[in-house]
Amino acid sequence: MEEHMDIRPIHTEVDYKATLKEISALMESDSDPGTPEGGRLDILTTLVQAYEARHFPIGALDPVEAIKFRMEQGGLSVKDLEPFIGRSNRVYEVLNHKRPLTLGMIRRLHQGLGIPAEVLIAEIAAG
């Protein structure tokens, strides 16, 4: 029996925020790849990426700023980033430019939060 997913394109800010909220809920429920919920999470993340690419061109944004942007858009806390980066002290180190992203972190942030890999591997702007 195939489940109807009822997924629609994101056209407005309201659609966008509702989709981010659903992504957040699916992430909290640990939706596994290969399950209907995991598939839904993949599809919704792809829709959000497409919407953001059109409406929020990131350009030469540094990886940490991209992570902070995703946290702000999704209402995510440091605790929400722990599955992608590590314990909270490590999350703070990354967010404060004290620790570089590892390849594993980049993969998990890209797959789990839909942050484009090319943004995550960009050089951090010297400030």
Side-chain angles (χ1 to χ4, degrees):
M1 187 167 99
E2 195 170 313
E3 187 178 317
H4 179 63
M5 292 183 98
D6 190 34
I7 293 177
R8 293 177 306 283
I10 300 172
H11 292 297
T12 67
E13 184 77 13
V14 172
D15 294 343
Y16 174 68
K17 289 190 173 173
T19 304
L20 286 176
K21 191 172 184 179
E22 184 171 352
I23 287 172
S24 187
L26 286 167
M27 286 172 46
E28 285 177 18
S29 69
D30 290 328
S31 302
D32 292 320
T35 64
E37 295 81 16
R40 185 173 184 85
L41 180 60
D42 284 346
I43 293 167
L44 293 175
T45 302
T46 301
L47 288 171
V48 164
Q49 286 174 322
Y51 179 84
E52 288 176 351
R54 285 191 313 273
H55 297 275
F56 310 113
I58 294 176
L61 193 60
D62 108 4
V64 173
E65 292 307 313
I67 294 167
K68 288 178 179 176
F69 176 77
R70 174 65 81 235
M71 288 175 76
E72 182 183 315
Q73 293 300 311
L76 303 174
S77 68
V78 166
K79 184 131 187 77
D80 295 322
L81 292 186
E82 288 179 7
F84 309 107
I85 295 176
R87 290 194 307 268
S88 62
N89 62 323
R90 181 159 295 157
V91 176
Y92 284 114
E93 289 171 352
V94 167
L95 294 177
N96 291 312
H97 295 95
K98 304 276 190 250
R99 177 184 289 269
L101 291 169
T102 65
L103 184 57
M105 289 176 198
I106 289 168
R107 284 186 178 132
R108 289 187 297 271
L109 287 163
H110 171 65
Q111 291 169 345
L113 295 182
I115 301 171
E118 59 273 15
V119 171
L120 292 168
I121 63 171
E123 290 292 324
I124 292 180

